[in-house]
Amino acid sequence: MSIDDTLEGLGSDDGRAVVAAIEKSSSGPALAAACTGTFMLAEAGALDGGRATTSWWLGGSFRNRYPDVNLDLDAMVVLDERATTAGAAFAHIDLALTLLRTVSAQVAETVAKLLVIDPRVAQSSYIALDHIKHNDELVLAFEDHARAHLGEPVDIATVARAIGTSRRTLERRVAVALGLSPVALVQRLRVERAAHLLRTTDQSSEQIASQVGYANASTLRTLMRRLG
């Protein structure tokens, strides 16, 4: 579901009814939601002042709309005293296991084995930058600059000046648009380029590492395992 569909749902009669019901129950039974359902909890104020997650591609819009929520896009599931939230679509499975684990860790483990569900503590490794839509021209300029200089050492302050802004502004705008720091964005772009070269060329890992800004293949492999 796109952000436009999500916001349309929030404004519909059914959406407003759900939000109203959450507002009434926010101090009662435990609340939980996954994917776009987290917007319902946030809209009702049930996540204010707490930590939560949502689908990675909705992160920028979520932060803009609900600045009082501490959004953690890296986590697959966030268990907070206010509510339990989960990330992208199929994270509802992780959400269900988390809720079950609060009752019985043994039962949760048994269910996970029976359903052949592997542990997935983070959704950051599933983020596909090309599918995160935003129209922040400053962030796009940073992405273009980074892609053009992947083989060079990166200094965020220097790059910020090169595209006509400050480091602080760049960090804030990248975080809002992508839910990442500028350094993390550069790392992902380097990994994307390296993965493409590994698939489409006969170059060695050492050769590719030097093209994406790393002194040796070991460093690149470590980063690819962490982000891949």
Side-chain angles (χ1 to χ4, degrees), residues 68-120:
D68 293 331
V69 181
N70 179 14
L71 187 65
D72 183 358
L73 287 182
D74 181 59
M76 188 71 73
V77 179
V78 170
L79 183 60
D80 187 81
E81 62 181 10
R82 293 163 181 77
T84 304
T85 51
F90 287 101
H92 67 269
I93 297 173
D94 305 273
L95 175 62
L97 288 176
T98 298
L99 295 175
L100 186 56
R101 196 170 289 114
T102 63
V103 178
S104 171
Q106 184 176 359
V107 172
E109 183 69 18
T110 300
V111 171
K113 288 181 178 178
L114 288 173
L115 299 181
V116 198
I117 302 171
D118 295 325
R120 302 177 300 169

Side-chain angles (χ1 to χ4, degrees), residues 44 46 51 62 72 80 86 97 118 127-128 135 156:
R51 182 168 160 264
F62 191 101
D72 183 358
D80 187 81
L97 288 176
D118 295 325
I127 293 175
N135 57 1
I156 301 303

